[in-house]
């Protein structure tokens, strides 16, 4: 099933609400947007997130994508997100979505 423009806009709107110093997971966004899989969120973030705080969206284990890890962790650390051994401390930094 193709991703609709409405789904893309819901994901974008949710990502835009995540404040500095906080993070959400791909699964958090998928659930809040009514999507069936976090992979759809990943696809949207890869293709349409240049103007969003993309670095605040991470994997469920608190680990960033391998190809973005250094940059993403550096950006998150600059915002005060607690990071331990290359992982975000989700208990401390996770942002509750509506």
């Amino acid at each position: 099933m193709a991703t609709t423009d409405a789904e893309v806009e819901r994901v974008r709107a949710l990502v835009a609400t995540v404040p500095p110093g906080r993070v959400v997971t791909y699964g958090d966004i998928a659930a809040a947007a009514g999507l069936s899989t976090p992979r759809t969120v990943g696809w949207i973030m890869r293709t349409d997130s240049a103007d969003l705080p993309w670095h605040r969206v991470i994997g469920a284990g608190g680990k960033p994508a391998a190809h973005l890890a250094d940059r993403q962790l550096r950006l998150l650390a600059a915002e005060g997100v607690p990071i331990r051994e290359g992982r975000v401390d989700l208990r401390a930094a996770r942002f509750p979505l509506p």
Side-chain angles (χ1 to χ4, degrees), residues 25-80:
T25 68
Y26 293 101
D28 294 340
I29 296 285
L35 300 173
S36 61
T37 176
R39 289 179 186 267
T40 302
V41 176
W43 177 82
I44 293 167
M45 296 303 295
R46 274 192 312 278
T47 60
D48 193 18
S49 67
D51 61 336
L52 294 172
W54 61 267
H55 60 286
R56 297 179 191 146
V57 183
I58 60 171
K63 221 171 169 184
H67 68 289
L68 297 171
D70 290 339
R71 183 173 175 211
Q72 189 169 17
L73 291 175
R74 189 171 52 254
L75 290 168
L76 291 172
E79 292 182 354

Side-chain angles (χ1 to χ4, degrees), residues 6-18 29 52-53 97:
E7 290 169 333
V8 170
E9 289 310 311
R10 277 199 307 271
V11 167
R12 288 179 50 76
L14 287 164
V15 172
T17 69
V18 182
I29 296 285
L52 294 172
L97 290 170

